[in-house]
């Protein structure tokens, strides 16, 4: 199954093909390329997304970290 809704497949495509974002049009290009072996391609892309190939990175744009708000409750001290 080669589905646009599968986040691991999208991540695998970004990692293998060095894309920052995979939109539907680009996804359809790869779906046609892998047809009729979409299920096999999914297995390989899931493995890549899961870290099976050392040294590959995800090229998705970094998201900004929201400002952390301080907790209103005091932190508990570690017991000795």
């Amino acid at each position: 199954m080669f589905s646009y809704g599968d986040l691991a497949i999208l991540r695998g495509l970004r990692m293998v093909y060095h894309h920052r974002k995979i939109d539907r049009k680009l996804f359809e290009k790869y779906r046609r390329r892998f047809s009729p072996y979409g299920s096999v391609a999914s297995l390989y892309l899931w493995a890549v997304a899961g870290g099976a190939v050392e040294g590959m990175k995800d090229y998705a744009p970094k998201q900004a970290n929201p400002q952390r708000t301080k907790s209103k409750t005091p932190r508990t001290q570690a017991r000795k």
Side-chain angles (χ1 to χ4, degrees):
M1 188 72 151
F2 199 77
S3 172
Y4 181 75
D6 192 317
L7 298 177
I9 291 175
L10 294 176
R11 183 171 192 236
L13 286 171
R14 286 193 312 262
M15 291 172 77
V16 171
Y17 295 105
H18 301 218
H19 292 296
R20 293 181 58 79
K21 184 179 178 189
I22 304 287
D23 60 4
R24 275 215 187 260
K25 184 177 178 182
L26 185 58
F27 183 83
E28 287 301 316
K29 172 186 164 186
Y30 288 114
R31 188 188 60 76
R32 285 190 303 273
R33 179 182 291 178
F34 298 142
S35 180
Y37 304 104
S39 295
V40 175
S42 295
L43 293 174
Y44 282 107
L45 291 170
W46 288 335
V48 168
V53 181
E54 193 172 320
M56 293 195 86
K57 69 174 194 167
D58 190 351
Y59 289 88
K62 302 289 184 205
Q63 294 181 357
N65 291 335
Q67 290 288 341
R68 293 184 181 174
T69 59
K70 291 186 179 182
S71 177
K72 293 182 180 180
T73 59
R75 295 183 185 208
T76 59
Q77 295 179 350
R79 294 183 184 181
K80 293 182 181 180

